[in-house]
Amino acid sequence: MKVTLSALDTSESSFTPLVVIEFAQDVKEETKEWLKNRIIAPKKHGDNNDDFLTMAECQFIIKHELENLRAKDEKMIPGYPQAKLYPGKSLLRRLLTSGIVIQVFPLHDNEALKKLEDTWYTRFALKYQPIDSIRGYFGETIALYFGFLEYFTFALIPMAVIGLPYYLFVWEDYDKYVIFASFNLIWSTVILEVWKRGCANMTYRWGTLLMKRKFEEPRPGFHGVLGINSITGKEEPLYPSYKRQMRIYLVSLPFVCLCLYFSLYVMMIYFDLEVWALGLHENSGSEWTSVLLYVPSIIYAIVIEIMNRLYRYAAEFLTSWENHRLESAYQNHLILKVLVFNFLNCFASLFYIAFVLKDMKLLRQSLATLLITSQILNQIVESLLPYWLQRKHGVRVKRKVQALKVDIDATLYEQVILEKEMGTYLGTFDDYLELFLQFGYVSLFSCVYPLAAAFAVLNNFTEVNSDALKMCRVFKRPFSEPSASIGVWQLAFETMSVISVVTNCALIGMSPQVNAIFPESKADLILIVVVVEHALLALKFILAFAIPDKPRHIQMKLARLEFESLEALKQQQMMLVTENLKEEPKESGKEKAT
């Protein structure tokens, strides 16, 4: 494919390329010129803000401007009459869907990246991550993910420490798990509330804590008839809300329900395999068949991962087709679709074993197999395999560049060729989803398998380094995104903690120790379990209310900032009133003279 680096022909010797737009082969020159004229704005003399914005912030601004290029009077893309345009259509999205532009991606800053790697993951040691440096290079959204990953890993350590002696000394004594389950209930609430405070500290330091999304601009994929927004007064595409609701309730919702039914059908096949393996083992009793007992769970864990990934693509397509105006609305609907399916797909079998079959031994075996298998698969698919493929590609690119005899900056040429073939990082969605499912395995059923937290800690210590490697060496540099929190994921984790209260109370009620207290009256037992569950939920919400989301010193600083803003506004209004009063005598003097 023909590659041109027009940025190298610029007259400014200090020019640093920030974003690459890759065109398809043999794109017409008139198309390039048209897009160039739509993009380039004349630079004001003496306007030099190179030191004011970071490279990541400059790249974010470029992405924002490219995504908000919309057709006005153009009926088609110049040079391509089949690529139709209409007022309000996103130009970049049309160029991408027409195959004229292959991709748009920001370039790495190799010097800054090397410094970040040296302090982040190249030297394996138990230390805190350089969160502020990650934020400076990748932006707030990715920095918050790594901050949450680090915090969650350390928060799991108490559960792992307490769970280890339960595993070693009272393995079959389920009665003593009542204490462990009770601790689990308090732990799952406190860690999420404390995280809010830590998150507020970080985002206040970065200046994004008070970031408002009330007047978000339309997302690039949003389409409709070009009109005037009645609130902002800006020209943007307009799309009727009732059409979106019809798509959601008449198409998306039935599809999700169908997928949930299919997931339950696959679960029942898994239980048939468990019965077959157990029968085979009981008939033969050999060591080979004892190993075979774990095979159905391993196969089911692999099938779950495959189904989750396939469903994710379908959910993305449906959510995009629903045509949400705001990126936040798009993300909320996508996360809701994926979380509902993943929750049922990953945990339905465990709930069935616990509360229908009431087989704690099988529950422990299934939980251990699902947790460990999913962690191994995620490490291989998300980090190790892409890194190995990227290393092979890098060697080929270096050989190709060395064979070229061209009068250009070979280092930059090699960087562009290498990075354009890297995979695209699709955001923190999958990373948060992995932590969400892990939190579910630990908080819902860890009283039955106390080693769940220990395995999660071990996985997360390697996850920090593998995710760092993935961000720096496997994927293209993602565009930075400002963020004030982990968003809807906070609500997702809190919902999981509420479900864990109900689940652990039910498991405690099923324990032999509790059942011995009510040998005859099961109705009294159920009533007491429900009362205790409601009391614990009340305690949970009291704790959530009692622990402020923002530390006291942050609240004081925000109050001070609001006060200073109001004072500045008052002074500005006083100045305007004073100027008006000064102008009135002049005008009255003119009237008298007339």
Side-chain angles (χ1 to χ4, degrees):
M1 185 173 71
K2 183 181 177 182
V3 179
T4 60
L5 297 176
S6 58
L8 297 176
D9 301 329
T10 182
S11 57
E12 298 184 35
S13 58
S14 61
F15 175 78
T16 302
L18 297 173
V19 176
V20 174
I21 300 177
E22 181 186 357
F23 287 96
Q25 190 174 6
D26 300 327
V27 170
K28 297 177 180 178
E29 287 299 323
E30 62 177 308
T31 307
K32 293 180 183 179
E33 284 298 318
W34 167 75
L35 181 60
K36 180 180 175 182
N37 292 332
R38 288 298 304 265
I39 292 173
I40 294 177
K43 185 176 180 181
K44 298 178 182 179
H45 294 290
D47 182 15
N48 188 355
N49 293 325
D50 292 343
D51 297 330
F52 181 70
L53 298 172
T54 65
M55 186 176 183
E57 289 169 336
C58 292
Q59 290 169 335
F60 170 74
I61 292 171
I62 293 172
K63 170 179 175 281
H64 179 270
E65 293 299 318
L66 288 174
E67 288 180 342
N68 283 281
L69 286 175
R70 296 191 178 270
K72 293 184 178 179
D73 300 326
E74 302 98 331
K75 301 297 182 183
M76 64 178 186
I77 294 175
Y80 294 88
Q82 72 279 10
K84 303 296 183 182
L85 293 173
Y86 60 86
K89 179 71 176 177
S90 169
L91 295 182
L92 181 61
R93 186 175 178 84
R94 191 71 182 95
L95 289 165
L96 288 167
T97 55
S98 300
I100 299 169
V101 170
I102 304 298
Q103 60 180 334
V104 178
F105 63 93
L107 282 174
H108 275 292
D109 181 345
N110 288 326
E111 184 179 346
L113 182 62
K114 185 67 173 66
K115 291 179 181 177
L116 178 60
E117 287 177 312
D118 289 340
T119 59
W120 194 1
Y121 72 92
T122 52
R123 301 189 184 108
F124 185 78
L126 296 178
K127 60 181 182 180
Y128 291 108
Q129 298 177 90
I131 299 297
D132 287 332
S133 300
I134 297 170
R135 177 255 172 181
Y137 191 84
F138 288 110
E140 289 81 13
T141 299
I142 291 174
L144 280 174
Y145 161 70
F146 280 100
F148 182 74
L149 172 60
E150 178 180 90
Y151 170 81
F152 183 56
T153 303
F154 282 107
L156 282 167
I157 292 176
M159 288 287 289
V161 171
I162 294 173
L164 198 59
Y166 270 87
Y167 176 80
L168 294 175
F169 302 117
V170 288
W171 175 235
E172 295 294 344
D173 190 355
Y174 293 105
D175 301 347
K176 294 185 174 62
Y177 290 167
V178 173
I179 302 172
F180 189 76
S182 302
F183 175 78
N184 195 345
L185 298 177
I186 300 172
W187 170 85
S188 62
T189 301
V190 171
I191 65 164
L192 294 175
E193 293 304 315
V194 174
W195 160 252
K196 288 182 185 177
R197 296 168 62 85
C199 181
N201 267 319
M202 283 191 291
T203 51
Y204 177 82
R205 188 168 67 246
W206 299 337
T208 59
L209 179 59
L210 298 178
M211 189 179 69
K212 302 292 184 183
R213 290 192 176 273
K214 188 174 181 180
F215 299 110
E216 269 186 278
E217 294 193 14
R219 52 187 292 270
F222 177 64
H223 58 83
V225 179
L226 196 65
I228 303 298
N229 187 309
S230 58
I231 297 174
T232 63
K234 293 183 178 180
E235 192 177 46
E236 64 176 51
L238 303 177
Y239 186 78
S241 177
Y242 76 90
K243 289 186 178 180
R244 184 182 303 112
Q245 298 301 321
M246 287 179 64
R247 291 184 175 191
I248 291 172
Y249 291 109
L250 298 181
V251 179
S252 297
L253 184 59
F255 176 79
V256 172
C257 292
L258 182 65
C259 291
L260 295 177
Y261 172 79
F262 181 73
S263 174
L264 292 175
Y265 182 77
V266 172
M267 181 191 75
M268 299 312 297
I269 295 175
Y270 154 67
F271 285 120
D272 290 340
L273 288 175
E274 284 283 3
V275 172
W276 171 79
L278 184 61
L280 193 65
H281 175 65
E282 289 176 349
N283 291 332
S284 65
S286 63
E287 293 183 3
W288 181 82
T289 55
S290 64
V291 175
L292 188 65
L293 289 174
Y294 290 91
V295 172
S297 296
I298 294 173
I299 294 173
Y300 185 51
I302 295 172
V303 170
I304 283 175
E305 289 298 317
I306 294 171
M307 288 171 62
N308 284 346
R309 293 179 186 277
L310 291 176
Y311 176 82
R312 165 74 188 276
Y313 293 123
E316 285 180 343
F317 172 79
L318 277 176
T319 311
S320 179
W321 178 71
E322 288 166 5
N323 196 28
H324 295 280
R325 177 180 176 271
L326 303 180
E327 183 64 28
S328 57
Y330 170 84
Q331 289 295 332
N332 290 343
H333 280 80
L334 175 62
I335 289 172
L336 180 61
K337 288 186 184 70
V338 174
L339 285 189
V340 168
F341 180 81
N342 277 257
F343 182 85
L344 187 78
N345 203 28
C346 294
F347 299 117
S349 62
L350 301 178
F351 279 101
Y352 187 82
I353 294 169
F355 302 116
V356 178
L357 300 180
K358 298 182 181 179
D359 188 342
M360 296 302 156
K361 187 175 181 180
L362 179 59
L363 177 61
R364 183 179 65 215
Q365 173 191 313
S366 298
L367 175 60
T369 307
L370 287 173
L371 177 62
I372 296 170
T373 305
S374 65
Q375 289 177 346
I376 292 172
L377 287 175
N378 282 326
Q379 292 284 358
I380 293 173
V381 173
E382 292 182 7
S383 298
L384 298 179
L385 182 61
Y387 178 69
W388 177 70
L389 294 173
Q390 183 58 32
R391 286 291 297 270
K392 288 185 67 176
H393 173 69
V395 171
R396 291 198 301 269
V397 168
K398 287 183 178 180
R399 289 175 182 169
K400 181 179 177 180
V401 172
Q402 289 172 358
L404 290 174
K405 295 181 180 179
V406 291
D407 296 328
I408 63 171
D409 184 349
T411 305
L412 177 58
Y413 180 80
E414 179 183 338
Q415 180 185 356
V416 172
I417 297 301
L418 181 64
E419 291 186 23
K420 81 181 185 68
E421 297 297 334
M422 285 180 169
T424 301
Y425 182 66
L426 299 176
T428 55
F429 186 98
D430 288 329
D431 298 313
Y432 278 121
L433 180 61
E434 185 180 344
L435 291 180
F436 172 79
L437 297 176
Q438 187 185 91
F439 180 66
Y441 286 126
V442 172
S443 62
L444 293 176
F445 300 105
S446 64
C447 63
V448 177
Y449 185 61
L451 281 185
F455 278 115
V457 169
L458 292 175
N459 175 78
N460 288 359
F461 274 124
T462 59
E463 184 84 14
V464 168
N465 291 279
S466 63
D467 281 355
L469 175 68
K470 175 175 72 176
M471 295 302 306
C472 296
R473 293 297 171 187
V474 175
F475 291 119
K476 298 183 186 75
R477 182 179 186 175
F479 285 102
S480 69
E481 290 285 347
S483 184
S485 66
I486 63 174
V488 72
W489 288 106
Q490 180 76 37
L491 178 61
F493 278 87
E494 289 173 355
T495 304
M496 180 68 83
S497 70
V498 171
I499 298 172
S500 74
V501 171
V502 180
T503 304
N504 282 278
C505 284
L507 289 172
I508 291 171
M510 291 168 56
S511 68
Q513 184 181 19
V514 175
N515 274 267
I517 303 173
F518 303 92
E520 297 179 358
S521 178
K522 295 297 180 183
D524 291 344
L525 173 60
I526 294 171
L527 181 62
I528 289 175
V529 168
V530 171
V531 170
V532 170
E533 174 253 329
H534 279 65
L536 287 170
L537 282 175
L539 175 62
K540 175 183 173 61
F541 290 119
I542 289 170
L543 282 173
F545 180 77
I547 302 174
D549 292 350
K550 300 180 182 68
R552 179 66 179 169
H553 69 281
I554 297 293
Q555 293 180 20
M556 295 295 291
K557 289 177 180 177
L558 292 175
R560 182 69 183 173
L561 182 63
E562 184 178 1
F563 171 76
E564 290 175 350
S565 300
L566 290 172
E567 287 296 309
L569 182 61
K570 287 179 183 177
Q571 290 180 6
Q572 187 179 12
Q573 289 175 342
M574 288 296 294
M575 290 175 64
L576 289 172
V577 170
T578 305
E579 289 177 1
N580 290 335
L581 290 173
K582 288 180 179 179
E583 289 177 359
E584 283 181 5
K586 294 179 182 179
E587 291 177 359
S588 61
K590 288 180 182 177
E591 290 175 0
K592 289 178 181 179
T594 305

